[in-house]
Amino acid sequence: GQQVMQIPQYQHVQEGEDFTTYCNSSTTLSNIQWYKQRPGGHPVFLIQLVKSGEVKKQKRLTFQFGEAKKNSSLHITATQTTDVGTYFCAGGTGGFKTIFGAGTRLFVKA
Amino acid sequence: SAVISQKPSRDICQRGTSLTIQCQVDSQVTMMFWYRQQPGQSLTLIATANQGSEATYESGFVIDKFPISRPNLTFSTLTVSNMSPEDSSIYLCSTDRGNTEAFFGQGTRLTVV
C-alpha cells in the first residue's frame, strides 16, 4: 500500500545548528502537510503544500514540495530549544485520508 | 480552526474491560478520524467516521474491537473493547476542513494492566 517514509528517525543538534527532515512517498501525493508534536502533546498543524515545486517559509522554517510531488522536506535554520519535538509529514492521497510518516524526533542541546 | 475536546486524557484500565473515548468538536465537521499512536511512534489510522453511516476501518482494525459512534456532526466516540496490555497506547481523534489541515484532540493515554 501507499507509504510515506521519513528520515532521519531522530537527530541531536546543538542550539544554533540547522536541521532537516525528509519525506518520500511511494506514489504521487495530492498535498503534503507538516505537523509538530511536542513531548506529551498532540500533533499541531504547521503548513500544507499543494503545488509541484512549492516552497513556503515560516520564520526559520522552510518547507519544500518536490517537482514530482513525491517528496518533501522541512528545514529549520538556527535551531532553538523551543524547536524540540517530533516533526511529522503527512501525505494527502487525493481522498479524505492522509498517510503519516514515522516522524523525526529533534533534540536540541543548549 | 477547529477545537476538539477529547476525554478522558488518560486512564488505567483492567484487562478485559472496555473504555469509551469521546471527542467533541466546536463546529460541524463531515469526517472524523481515530488514530492510535504507540509511544515514540507515528500515527496509525484506526477508522474514519462519517455521520449517519458505519465507520470505515483500516486493515488490522475491526468493529468488534473498536466500535465507533458518530451520532451527529460534532461528536464521536471510540470504544476499546475487551482490552489487553497490547492496547496500551495513545488514542487521538482528529478532523479536517475539506482535506486541508487536520486538528487533533489532546489524546487519551491508555494503560491496560
Side-chain angles (χ1 to χ4, degrees):
Chain A
Q2 278 183 298
Q3 285 189 327
V4 174
M5 309 301 292
Q6 187 173 358
I7 58 170
Q9 182 178 356
Y10 58 87
Q11 187 154 5
H12 293 259
V13 300
Q14 195 74 30
E15 189 174 27
E17 292 181 340
D18 293 355
F19 160 76
T20 306
T21 173
Y22 302 90
C23 277
N24 192 54
S25 169
S26 57
T27 58
T28 302
L29 300 169
S30 59
N31 63 73
I32 191 121
Q33 300 163 20
W34 286 91
Y35 295 83
K36 177 182 179 181
Q37 185 175 25
R38 294 183 183 274
H42 60 278
V44 175
F45 175 82
L46 293 176
I47 207 159
Q48 176 174 264
L49 305 172
V50 178
K51 299 177 183 176
S52 169
E54 190 169 12
V55 178
K56 287 188 177 180
K57 292 191 176 185
Q58 287 180 351
K59 296 182 180 178
R60 295 179 293 105
L61 278 62
T62 302
F63 305 84
Q64 293 187 338
F65 200 12
E67 294 290 341
K69 300 181 73 172
K70 285 187 173 184
N71 56 72
S72 182
S73 65
L74 158 60
H75 179 83
I76 302 178
T77 304
T79 55
Q80 300 175 358
T81 55
T82 53
D83 295 325
V84 163
T86 301
Y87 292 84
F88 291 98
C89 61
T93 61
F96 51 79
K97 287 193 296 186
T98 53
I99 302 173
F100 279 81
T104 296
R105 189 165 182 184
L106 174 63
F107 300 87
V108 181
K109 186 176 181 181
Chain B
S1 65
V3 175
I4 304 178
S5 299
Q6 182 175 345
K7 59 181 181 181
S9 58
R10 59 179 62 229
D11 208 341
I12 301 173
C13 301
Q14 296 289 326
R15 67 178 67 199
T17 62
S18 298
L19 175 72
T20 295
I21 302 167
Q22 300 180 3
C23 277
Q24 178 76 51
V25 190
D26 67 345
S27 57
Q28 293 184 342
V29 294
T30 304
M31 312 290 292
M32 290 189 73
F33 307 90
W34 288 95
Y35 290 89
R36 183 169 72 183
Q37 186 178 30
Q38 305 282 6
Q41 303 295 315
S42 186
L43 287 77
T44 301
L45 182 64
I46 297 171
T48 303
N50 255 339
Q51 190 267 333
S53 62
E54 275 199 8
T56 303
Y57 289 82
E58 297 300 303
S59 175
F61 299 96
V62 295
I63 188 171
D64 289 346
K65 177 67 176 177
F66 298 100
I68 288 171
S69 79
R70 185 82 205 276
N72 56 55
L73 291 173
T74 64
F75 188 78
S76 181
T77 67
L78 169 77
T79 299
V80 186
S81 303
N82 189 25
M83 289 183 284
S84 66
E86 292 71 34
D87 295 320
S88 298
S89 189
I90 298 169
Y91 293 85
L92 293 148
C93 61
S94 83
T95 184
D96 63 19
R97 291 224 181 253
N99 198 28
T100 56
E101 61 186 285
F103 300 93
F104 286 86
Q106 299 89 336
T108 297
R109 186 178 294 270
L110 172 61
T111 303
V112 184
V113 298

